[in-house]
Amino acid sequence: MQWGAYFAVMAASSIKFVAGPLTGFGLGLSMLETIVCTWVGMMFTVTVMLTIGRFLVQQIARIRIQKPKLFSGRVRYAVSIWQRFGIKGIAVMTPLLFTPIGGSLLALSFKVPTPRVLFFMAISGIFWSIVFTVLFYQLTFVRDLIIH
């Protein structure tokens, strides 16, 4: 067992999801090890952000000097995803666009119950970790782009 490599993949995927499979591939882990470590890293971050997220949102609102823009492009995009797809859309888009931290805080801002967020993020995380890991491990042109 390569605990250092496992923790490296988990740390990478906890910050930026696609970095987990890239790190696992670079460290020579098997596909299954990379899938599991990527998923665990994302779910760790989601769990931590949901646990301390309410406190963080309150503290940021308290120290914020200026009110945030009500209709910025990012807010409009998030609201449009929420209106179309709800928590399922946020969970699916989290590994692709929002990062685990951003997706968790976005779900928190829409006041979705924690068990519901964890359930849909877990499904999305395992799906995307399989997709990205298979992509990096099996497609030779992607592997050549990464290595060279």
Side-chain angles (χ1 to χ4, degrees), residues 88-111:
K88 295 173 189 171
I90 291 173
V92 168
M93 299 301 276
T94 292
L96 299 172
L97 298 176
F98 299 134
T99 73
I101 296 169
S104 302
L105 292 177
L106 187 59
L108 190 66
S109 70
F110 286 114
K111 296 179 177 43

Side-chain angles (χ1 to χ4, degrees), residues 92-143:
V92 168
M93 299 301 276
T94 292
L96 299 172
L97 298 176
F98 299 134
T99 73
I101 296 169
S104 302
L105 292 177
L106 187 59
L108 190 66
S109 70
F110 286 114
K111 296 179 177 43
V112 181
T114 302
R116 190 168 167 84
V117 174
L118 289 173
F119 176 74
F120 287 115
M121 289 286 190
I123 292 171
S124 174
I126 198 70
F127 172 76
W128 286 114
S129 66
I130 291 169
V131 168
F132 283 131
T133 302
V134 168
L135 179 78
F136 294 134
Y137 277 71
Q138 296 297 318
L139 298 178
T140 56
F141 71 91
V142 175
R143 186 181 311 166

Side-chain angles (χ1 to χ4, degrees), residues 42-89:
M42 176 186 164
M43 290 310 298
F44 175 76
T45 301
V46 169
T47 304
V48 167
M49 293 311 294
L50 290 175
T51 303
I52 64 171
R54 288 189 193 354
F55 175 75
L56 287 175
V57 168
Q58 290 172 349
Q59 295 304 314
I60 290 170
R62 189 175 61 94
I63 62 172
R64 182 175 275 163
I65 296 171
Q66 202 176 34
K67 279 184 132 180
K69 287 184 179 179
L70 191 57
F71 296 111
S72 69
R74 180 176 282 175
V75 170
R76 285 183 183 152
Y77 183 66
V79 169
S80 71
I81 289 175
W82 177 256
Q83 287 175 340
R84 286 187 204 155
F85 307 109
I87 185 59
K88 295 173 189 171

Side-chain angles (χ1 to χ4, degrees), residues 29-37 133:
L29 296 178
S30 71
M31 283 178 56
L32 182 61
E33 291 170 326
T34 302
I35 289 169
V36 170
C37 291
T133 302

